[in-house]
Structures are given as C-alpha cells and as structure tokens.
C-alpha cells in the first residue's frame, strides 16, 4: 500500500496581520476563517511569512519580512534567535515580555481557577537578561553532510539542532565555549557517540556532564580532561543512567566532593549541589525569590514551618535561619540527603529533612502530626492538586506557593480557595528572560470568617 503524499506547501510568502500572541510566543493572525501561528511576529504588526506546516484548522508560519512594526519590537541580542528554540521572545522588549507573562498569569487564574488575587504585586525582574542561565541540557549531533558536530538547543518546531557557535543567555563560562566544545567533540574517537551535555554552574565553578554511549578510550578521556583544564571546567561522564555520573576532572576522592555551590548571602548560607541536581537556573532571581518567600511567611519564634518539594533546601535553610522549627519534605531520596548535608554544612539544627510520596495523603506521617503554622510549596510543572486538598489539615495560617506553571498554579489556587484560603497576592518572576516560561509566586492566608 502506497503512503499518502503530503500536500506541497505554498512557496509564496503570505501577508499576515497579527492580532494577539499565543502562550508559546507566536503571533496569531486569521485569514479566511483559519488561524495562523506566526513565529517572530508581535501583536499589531504586519509581516510577510513563509508557510512551515498546514493543518485543517490552523497554519504555522515564520515571519521573513517586517512590513509594519510596533514599539515593543527590539533587535534580538542573539544572531540565532530566529531559528533556535532555546528562546522565543528575543525580538520583544523586556517590558513587553513582562507584560506578556503577567497577562498569561491573569488569564490562567481567570480560566482555570475563576479567581483573582486581592493584590497584584510588581513583577520580579532579572538584573541581567543575558548570561543568566546556569543549567541546561545541550543536544549533541554529528552532521555527516557538514562533517561537523553541533551542540545546542533544538530548532523551533522540529528536532534538528541549531547550528550555533555561542549562546548569549547561557552563563558565559558555558555560552562562550560552544565552538571550542564542538571542535573538541569532533576530535574524539567517539564523536558520533556523545548524546548530550548537561551543564551546571555554581558561583565559582562550572561543570559539563558528557553522556557517553560507549566506554571512552584513554585518548578521548585525556582530551576531555585537557578541555576541562584549559577552560577551568569540571568534567563528568555519564555512561548509563543518572547514578553512573562520575567526575574525571578534577579527580574525585570518592567522599562526596563532587559538588558545586552557590551563596545565599542574605542568610549567610552556602548551598552545595551535584551537577545533576535540580537548582534554579537564574541565580539573581533565586536570591530575590527566596527573600520574598521568607518575607511573606514572616516566621515567628516557636512556629513550625513545612517546606514541600524542598529539594536541596533552597527555601528550607533560609526559613530555618529565621527561627522556628522547619521540616523539609521531598520525593527524591537523593535530594533529602543533599538537604541534610547542607543543614550540617551551615550548622543548622532546627531543621529536618524527610522523604515522602508527595502525590497523596501524607498527613499521617510522624513529622506531620503536630501540624504547621506556615507552609511553603514549590512543586514541579504538574503542580500539587492532590496535596492542596490535604493542606487544610495542618491549620497553617499562611501558605506561599512558588510555581513554574501558571496553569497548574491557577488550578491549585482554586482548590485552596474552596478549602478555606484567600488568595492574598500574586505576581510573576522573570526566571527565564527571552522565553515564554512563566514563574510566579502566590500568598494564601486562612480565611478567618
């Protein structure tokens, strides 16, 4: 049976008048009753666009010529922005990006939760919108036609890697070394068998974790080590699963020294982490976010505080510095260990870390039976709908919810309000400038009525 041929795409550019912006940052136009999603276009603009794909209900296009622009447009700081999928809003001014993210959060609260905070707070903005990104997973691919190795993010709307030689949003210790990294990988005997590179940066040290699909020869290991020495990078290998990650430069003593670190100076804390651990990508916003969360919870002497999805203690330990008894709970046992290590490192004895399944009722756990006066929750993108149903059992007067997904925050806020809490204030945090990612924070207080 012959395979159905796809209909050939029109080759002539299409004129598009952009009406609004989708949540993924594409301009939206309409023609003959059909929706058009246009990469690289802003509301109010008129562009000529090339057809990328067509469906029965919508078309996908890419702007190739600007006919009428708007004041919100800016020159992209990166020459690869039109193609690279790592960023989608570089052509939009910083103020416009913030307004877009605020509007996204408002729309989700209205649509999913049917609620609105009593107070919208001013957005938390990045001091640096370039060179901020400290964590990333970079794809690696050998392209036979070019006889070169590509390293970077996927192109927009497809699985190809973008041909880049630098990345302006990455920490310069990584972003300025893309081309040397590509050249070094091409020199390896295993140049076709490196699948990806995880990168992580602490305050003083940056690391690369190479996913090697085969055991490396001694000469390849030597090349990687020499690359680390030349560029002041820690070098790790990952031959199989995450538990196989190990450092080859500098040599590891095997006693838990495979750590990077960052400071939270306001709380006199040094936070250590493994390169594969989850940490916030934007150090500047993280400092401000932790300050705001601790300020909003307003810990008083003798209070018990619960930190759910606590990770390595990014909020837990600053809360402990403010007094009271703090309990950090995490579903990942390795992160529970990391939290305990950081508590010991910083001399804190009014904090404890526990592992638990955070997808169901955990109110019967020993650490939970005394209840809590204040709660902080920082869940993954899937949110915490089930957990929110149980939080009322603790009787906490205040709950701070840190979110990386406005849709699940809005949904969970609806659960909280139905269970006796008021949504007092909320706002966005620009954790990922130049992207459509919306990080936000919300304060709930127990309804006294």
């Amino acid at each position: 049976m012959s395979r159905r041929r796809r209909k050939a795409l029109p080759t002539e550019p299409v004129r598009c008048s952009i009406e609004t912006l989708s949540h993924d940052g594409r301009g939206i136009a309409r023609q003959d009753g059909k929706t058009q999603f246009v990469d690289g276009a802003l509301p109010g603009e008129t562009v000529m666009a090339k057809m990328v794909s067509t469906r029965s209900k919508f078309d996908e296009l890419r702007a190739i010529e600007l006919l009428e622009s708007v004041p919100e447009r800016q020159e992209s700081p990166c020459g690869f922005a039109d193609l690279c999928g790592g960023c989608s809003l570089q052509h939009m001014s910083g103020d416009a990006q913030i307004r877009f993210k605020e509007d996204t959060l408002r729309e989700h609260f209205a649509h999913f939760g049917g609620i609105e905070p009593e107070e919208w707070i001013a957005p938390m903005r990045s001091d640096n919108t370039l060179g901020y990104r400290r964590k990333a997973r970079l794809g690696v691919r050998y392209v036979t036609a070019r006889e070169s190795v590509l390293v970077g993010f996927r192109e927009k709307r497809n699985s190809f890697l973008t041909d880049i030689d630098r990345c302006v949003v990455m920490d310069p210790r990584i972003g300025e070394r893309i081309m040397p990294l590509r050249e070094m990988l091409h020199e390896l005997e295993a140049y076709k068998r490196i699948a990806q590179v995880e990168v992580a940066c602490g305050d003083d040290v940056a690391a690369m974790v190479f996913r090697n699909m085969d055991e490396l020869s001694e000469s390849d290991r030597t090349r990687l080590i020499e690359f680390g020495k030349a560029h002041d990078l820690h070098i790790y290998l990952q031959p199989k699963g995450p538990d196989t990650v190990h450092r080859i430069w500098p040599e590891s003593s095997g006693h838990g020294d495979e750590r990077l670190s960052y400071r939270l100076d306001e709380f006199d804390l040094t936070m250590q982490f493994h390169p594969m651990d989850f940490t916030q990508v934007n150090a500047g916003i993280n400092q401000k976010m932790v300050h705001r969360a601790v300020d909003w919870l307003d810990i008083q002497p003798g209070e018990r505080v619960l930190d759910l999805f606590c990770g390595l203690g990014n909020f837990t330990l600053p809360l402990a510095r403010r007094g009271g008894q703090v309990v950090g709970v995490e579903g990942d046992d390795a992160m529970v260990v990391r939290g305990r290590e950081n508590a010991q490192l910083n001399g804190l004895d009014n904090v404890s870390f526990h592992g638990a399944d955070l997808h169901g009722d955990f109110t019967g756990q020993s650490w939970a039976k005394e209840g809590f006066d204040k709660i902080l929750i920082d869940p993954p993108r899937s949110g915490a709908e089930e957990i929110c149903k149980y939080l009322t059992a603790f009787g906490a007067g205040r709950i701070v919810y840190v979110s990386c997904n406005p849709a699940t925050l809005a949904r969970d806020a609806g659960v909280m309000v139905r269970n006796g809490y008021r949504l007092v204030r909320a706002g966005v945090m620009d954790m990922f400038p130049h992207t459509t990612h919306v990080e936000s924070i919300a304060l709930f207080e127990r309804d006294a009525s």
Side-chain angles (χ1 to χ4, degrees):
M1 185 173 65
S2 62
R3 189 179 289 180
R4 250 178 107 180
R5 288 187 178 179
R6 272 190 193 175
K7 185 177 178 182
L9 292 173
T11 57
E12 288 296 313
V14 179
R15 185 185 179 97
C16 301
S17 297
I18 310 302
E19 300 173 5
T20 186
L21 212 59
S22 68
H23 285 159
D24 64 359
R26 291 184 287 179
I28 299 177
R30 289 174 177 83
Q31 187 166 336
D32 300 327
K34 194 174 185 181
T35 300
Q36 300 170 313
F37 293 102
V38 186
D39 267 318
L42 298 176
E45 293 185 333
T46 303
V47 301
M48 298 300 292
K50 179 181 179 180
M51 191 76 71
V52 175
S53 71
T54 182
R55 312 282 178 88
S56 59
K57 295 184 179 180
F58 63 89
D59 294 329
E60 296 182 304
L61 304 96
R62 179 168 57 87
I64 58 174
E65 183 182 354
L66 186 62
L67 302 179
E68 297 178 30
S69 65
V70 292
E72 289 78 13
R73 176 170 286 275
Q74 69 172 12
E75 187 73 24
S76 298
C78 174
F80 308 104
D82 290 344
L83 190 60
C84 181
C87 298
S88 52
L89 297 180
Q90 285 198 11
H91 58 295
M92 181 186 288
S93 71
D95 288 344
Q97 290 184 32
I98 293 292
R99 288 196 298 271
F100 166 74
K101 294 179 181 185
E102 288 185 307
D103 289 344
T104 299
L105 182 59
R106 290 174 188 271
E107 290 168 12
H108 279 100
F109 271 133
H111 179 72
F112 290 99
I115 55 178
E116 184 171 345
E118 297 171 12
E119 176 190 0
W120 287 103
I121 62 167
M124 187 182 296
R125 305 190 64 155
S126 286
D127 296 327
N128 300 303
T129 62
L130 300 178
Y132 70 85
R133 185 163 183 171
R134 287 190 168 195
K135 290 275 287 186
R137 175 177 294 172
L138 302 175
V140 179
R141 186 167 299 170
Y142 176 73
V143 181
T144 305
R146 302 180 187 179
E147 294 187 347
S148 66
V149 173
L150 302 185
V151 177
F153 300 103
R154 291 179 179 176
E155 294 180 359
K156 292 173 180 172
R157 322 294 166 206
N158 67 52
S159 61
F160 299 122
L161 286 188
T162 315
D163 186 359
I164 63 173
D165 56 25
R166 63 197 294 263
C167 176
V168 299
V169 298
M170 289 291 297
D171 185 299
R173 291 171 289 179
I174 302 297
E176 295 296 330
R177 292 183 170 123
I178 298 296
M179 202 63 206
L181 174 61
R182 289 175 55 177
E183 293 169 350
M184 181 274 295
L185 288 172
H186 196 197
E187 293 172 356
L188 298 180
E189 296 172 14
Y191 64 94
K192 293 183 180 179
R193 302 294 290 167
I194 303 294
Q196 66 191 32
V197 182
E198 298 265 359
V199 297
C201 302
D203 288 347
D204 302 319
V205 176
M208 289 185 176
V209 182
F210 294 85
R211 174 68 177 94
N212 54 304
M213 299 170 69
D214 300 317
E215 185 174 351
L216 298 182
S217 66
E218 279 305 311
S219 63
D220 278 0
R221 289 174 63 93
T222 299
R223 282 191 179 94
L224 287 168
I225 290 171
E226 291 303 319
F227 181 80
K229 290 179 180 178
H231 296 283
D232 197 22
L233 298 167
H234 286 193
I235 304 297
Y236 292 71
L237 296 180
Q238 182 188 344
K240 293 182 180 178
D243 59 336
T244 67
V245 174
H246 61 284
R247 195 173 75 193
I248 62 171
W249 176 258
E251 283 189 37
S252 173
S253 68
H255 298 291
D257 65 340
E258 297 183 346
R259 298 288 185 270
L260 308 177
S261 68
Y262 63 90
R263 285 282 300 169
L264 294 173
D265 286 331
E266 179 183 353
F267 304 94
D268 190 24
L269 292 169
T270 297
M271 308 296 294
Q272 291 189 340
F273 63 98
H274 188 277
M276 300 296 282
D277 290 344
F278 171 81
T279 55
Q280 298 293 347
V281 303
N282 190 321
I285 285 291
N286 186 54
Q287 298 264 1
K288 297 177 182 180
M289 178 177 68
V290 172
H291 169 87
R292 177 166 289 173
V294 173
D295 180 60
W296 281 8
L297 282 178
D298 189 25
I299 309 304
Q300 301 299 311
E303 288 187 329
R304 280 174 53 82
V305 185
L306 175 63
D307 180 9
L308 292 170
F309 302 96
C310 67
L312 52 79
N314 187 56
F315 292 104
T316 327
L317 300 191
L319 289 168
R321 279 282 195 241
R322 291 293 182 262
Q325 187 66 36
V326 184
V327 176
V329 183
E330 171 60 50
D332 184 342
D333 290 340
M335 297 301 277
V336 173
V337 172
R338 204 80 72 243
R340 292 170 179 165
E341 290 174 354
N342 279 316
Q344 182 176 10
L345 174 69
N346 290 281
L348 288 164
D349 58 9
N350 61 327
V351 59
S352 61
F353 289 87
H354 305 272
D357 179 2
L358 293 178
H359 296 94
D361 185 0
F362 50 80
T363 55
Q365 297 285 336
S366 59
W367 46 263
K369 291 182 178 178
E370 294 182 39
F372 296 95
D373 302 287
K374 309 282 175 65
I375 297 174
L376 187 142
I377 180 169
D378 181 13
R381 288 189 61 79
S382 56
E385 185 176 16
E386 285 300 311
I387 288 177
C388 289
K389 297 175 183 177
Y390 305 116
L391 292 185
T392 53
F394 295 127
R398 286 188 178 185
I399 298 175
V400 168
Y401 191 129
V402 176
S403 169
C404 59
N405 184 344
T408 53
L409 169 61
R411 178 201 66 198
D412 296 350
V415 175
M416 301 278 288
V417 169
R418 289 192 295 274
N419 282 276
Y421 282 87
R422 297 162 34 235
L423 177 54
V424 177
R425 57 180 79 123
V428 300
M429 305 180 291
D430 198 18
M431 184 71 75
F432 288 82
H434 305 301
T435 78
T436 58
H437 182 99
V438 180
E439 195 97 4
S440 48
I441 186 169
L443 172 65
F444 298 86
E445 291 186 355
R446 195 171 184 85
D447 194 342
S449 61

